[in-house]
Amino acid sequence: MLDQAADLDRVFHALADPGRRVMVVRLSQGPASVSELGRPLAMSLAAVLQHVQVLEASGLVRTQKTGRTRTCSINPAALRSAESWIAGRRTLWERRLDRLGDYLAGTAGPGPAGTRTQKSDPSKEAR
Amino acid sequence: MLDQAADLDRVFHALADPGRRVMVVRLSQGPASVSELGRPLAMSLAAVLQHVQVLEASGLVRTQKTGRTRTCSINPAALRSAESWIAGRRTLWERRLDRLGDYLAGTAGPGPAGTRTQKSDPSKEAR
């Protein structure tokens, strides 16, 4: 649990930088070398390497050195863990709203039989 | 576009702290006062307030002051924008894998007519 929290710290920290997000966008289209990753960014190769190290430490990116070229690729598991954490919170909040809606519909006063609002469609929670 | 990038910077930065994530978890269950938010965390009220300010600046949390109590609530739109960004990258990566699978199936050599692997089920991309 502690390790998972530390992982999320690192993943969200890595994603908080616009340059690193540009790198993740590039890598989601396929592996790339460090110099390819730096091409669209106005920064030195040393700065690009530092960002790659932050991405690698977070688990978002894996790198492999072949000869003089370091190739980077995305690790979807780290993306998924961050996405799941956010989706879990959002779903909890939406369920609470649904329950509140049900409660308000139930206390809106007695109407004709059969007109009470039905429980909201559970499929909506999957959006 | 620039504003959206700045927003994501702030949202991911806000989520990179374990104490702030505890606050977001609490708020996804319903609104809470600043002192309620700080209760499970071993920190001063001043520190709690600072974290609340970071969450508010990111757009993840809205606050409203009534008398002497500041009530915090979640803003699902900010959660959704961060979730969508991550999901977009992950989906792109998975589609690339699917295309690679299709390509490899197509180049595995000529088999009997009709046995070529079908295009992968698009519904799988929604998982």
Side-chain angles (χ1 to χ4, degrees):
Chain A
M1 181 63 191
L2 268 179
D3 281 338
Q4 205 192 346
D7 286 352
L8 282 174
D9 286 6
R10 282 192 284 259
V11 169
F12 286 129
H13 168 70
L15 292 176
D17 180 89
R20 288 197 290 266
R21 288 203 304 278
V22 167
M23 293 177 176
V24 171
V25 170
R26 167 62 190 82
L27 292 174
S28 62
Q29 293 159 2
S33 69
V34 171
S35 56
E36 276 179 279
L37 279 186
R39 208 161 290 158
L41 301 164
M43 56 176 80
S44 67
L45 192 62
V48 174
L49 251 176
Q50 273 192 328
H51 283 306
V52 168
Q53 282 164 357
V54 172
L55 287 167
E56 198 175 7
S58 74
L60 282 167
V61 164
R62 290 177 182 139
T63 75
Q64 192 173 20
K65 200 162 186 180
T66 312
R68 294 171 66 182
T69 306
R70 183 172 292 278
T71 304
C72 308
S73 51
I74 210 98
N75 175 14
L79 277 180
R80 255 183 239 118
S81 74
E83 187 184 342
S84 299
W85 190 90
I86 300 176
R89 308 298 72 82
R90 183 183 52 71
T91 311
L92 210 64
W93 190 86
E94 286 171 355
R95 280 197 190 135
R96 189 188 151 266
L97 271 202
D98 277 356
R99 280 199 307 272
L100 201 64
D102 287 354
Y103 173 78
L104 291 175
T107 57
T115 60
R116 189 176 173 276
T117 309
Q118 285 197 317
K119 194 172 176 350
S120 63
D121 180 3
S123 68
K124 283 186 185 162
E125 290 184 5
R127 65 175 172 189
Chain B
M1 182 64 190
L2 269 179
D3 282 338
Q4 205 192 347
D7 286 351
L8 283 174
D9 286 6
R10 281 192 284 260
V11 169
F12 286 129
H13 168 70
L15 292 176
D17 181 89
R20 288 197 290 267
R21 288 203 303 279
V22 167
M23 293 178 177
V24 171
V25 169
R26 168 61 190 83
L27 291 175
S28 62
Q29 293 160 2
S33 69
V34 171
S35 56
E36 276 179 280
L37 279 186
R39 208 162 291 157
L41 302 164
M43 55 176 79
S44 66
L45 193 60
V48 173
L49 252 176
Q50 274 193 328
H51 283 306
V52 168
Q53 281 164 358
V54 173
L55 287 168
E56 198 175 7
S58 75
L60 282 167
V61 163
R62 290 177 182 140
T63 75
Q64 192 174 19
K65 200 162 186 180
T66 313
R68 294 171 66 181
T69 306
R70 183 173 292 279
T71 304
C72 308
S73 52
I74 210 98
N75 174 15
L79 277 180
R80 256 183 239 120
S81 72
E83 188 184 342
S84 299
W85 190 90
I86 301 176
R89 307 300 69 83
R90 183 183 52 73
T91 310
L92 210 64
W93 189 87
E94 285 171 355
R95 280 197 191 137
R96 189 188 152 267
L97 271 203
D98 276 357
R99 280 199 306 271
L100 200 65
D102 287 354
Y103 173 79
L104 291 175
T107 57
T115 61
R116 189 175 174 276
T117 308
Q118 285 196 316
K119 193 171 176 354
S120 63
D121 180 3
S123 68
K124 281 185 187 161
E125 291 183 6
R127 67 180 167 182

